[in-house]
Amino acid sequence: MDRSSEFAGRAAFVTGAGTGIGAAVARELASRGAAVAIFGRRAARLKETAEAIRSAGGKVLVVAGDVANAENVENAIRRTVAEFGGLHFAVNNAGVDGGTQKLAEVSVSSWHETLNTNLSGVFFGLKYQIPAILASGGGAIVNVSSVFSDRGLSQHAPYTASKHGVHGLTRAAAHDYAAENIRINELLPGVIDTPMLDTNRGMVDQMTAFIPQRRLGQPREVARAVCFLLSDEASYMTGARVAVDGGFLL
């Protein structure tokens, strides 16, 4: 099926778009005709994503900033609307793993850093994306959480707590805007082969044994699921949780 014009004439905003899932989502959206604003802390990585989109004929805006900074997010949404004339889709994907320690060994600063990025970052995204999407006539948002929004991950208390928070935030937001033509859903990636795993390869090998498909997921597999949730094919889905996990949560 040719999907090259599926999202033509519509604009999307993707956080954490420099690498991994976020970069794959941005490229997939652009390949389907969306104009894409990519947002993240590492300008060099964003530039790489932008170059890949442009080389394939896509339209992209690069905005460097931190999702944990409300002003950065507000300004990024304002720039997106100014550049593309509106906003129709958003993907709140940026996140950090918070390190590996038992709960009592987690520093207060590490707790705040993880929650500020993984949970407050999603709140700030929603806060400024929703008015822009309403002004554009409606659309859809996907919040990327984790399979560990459903389970506890040993030695990752801040990460686990933040992802459980994204689940609750998604459900509340979906209730608030279901009657105003904005659908808000949650995507739960399993163990996906991204740079975030590079410092935890030993743990990844152990976890792979518990995945029924016996392999890591690929970023593009997540990106395709995100695009489904944004598309008209998911028009009666809001507040839903969709796992892309190789059966991990079975």
Side-chain angles (χ1 to χ4, degrees):
M1 180 183 294
D2 181 12
R3 297 185 180 273
S4 61
S5 61
E6 181 178 13
F7 297 140
R10 289 182 278 184
F13 180 84
V14 182
T15 71
T19 61
I21 291 171
V25 168
R27 291 195 299 267
E28 189 71 20
L29 282 165
S31 75
R32 299 183 187 208
V36 184
I38 57 175
F39 182 79
R41 291 185 295 184
R42 293 179 289 178
R45 294 293 192 180
L46 292 176
K47 183 179 178 181
E48 292 174 4
T49 301
E51 288 174 350
I53 290 172
R54 291 188 184 112
S55 67
K59 188 174 184 180
V60 62
L61 171 69
V62 176
V63 187
D66 187 352
V67 294
N69 183 306
E71 185 177 350
N72 283 184
V73 178
E74 182 180 18
N75 289 338
I77 297 299
R78 186 181 297 115
R79 284 189 59 189
T80 300
V81 171
E83 179 74 14
F84 297 143
L87 182 65
H88 307 88
F89 305 129
V91 182
N92 294 305
N93 164 77
V96 295
D97 70 6
T100 304
Q101 301 96 16
K102 290 184 177 180
L103 190 148
E105 298 167 0
V106 175
S107 69
V108 172
S109 62
S110 178
W111 169 264
H112 285 302
E113 179 184 355
T114 305
L115 271 290
N116 286 345
T117 297
N118 292 2
L119 183 55
S120 295
V122 175
F123 168 73
F124 296 147
L126 292 168
K127 177 175 175 60
Y128 299 113
Q129 293 154 5
I130 286 169
I133 293 173
L134 286 172
S136 300
I141 299 172
V142 174
N143 294 329
V144 178
S145 63
S146 166
V147 288
F148 295 105
S149 69
D150 189 75
R151 296 184 179 180
L153 178 58
S154 176
Q155 299 188 64
H156 286 79
Y159 180 85
T160 302
S162 69
K163 296 303 184 178
H164 277 67
V166 170
H167 169 57
L169 192 60
T170 302
R171 293 185 66 124
H175 267 294
D176 285 349
Y177 294 97
E180 297 183 56
N181 198 31
I182 299 182
R183 298 181 299 101
I184 304 172
N185 291 297
E186 180 186 0
L187 194 289
L188 288 65
V191 188
I192 308 301
D193 193 7
T194 70
M196 186 179 286
L197 298 183
D198 289 344
T199 59
N200 292 291
R201 287 292 168 180
M203 182 182 70
V204 169
D205 292 341
Q206 295 176 19
M207 292 175 68
T208 303
F210 293 96
I211 300 171
Q213 287 194 343
R214 295 293 189 271
R215 68 174 179 86
L216 301 181
Q218 295 302 311
R220 193 174 183 194
E221 293 175 299
V222 180
R224 288 169 173 167
V226 168
C227 285
F228 164 72
L229 289 173
L230 294 175
S231 76
D232 293 340
E233 294 179 1
S235 59
Y236 202 53
M237 294 176 68
T238 194
R241 310 181 81 193
V242 175
V244 180
D245 66 348
F248 182 84
L249 290 178
L250 292 176

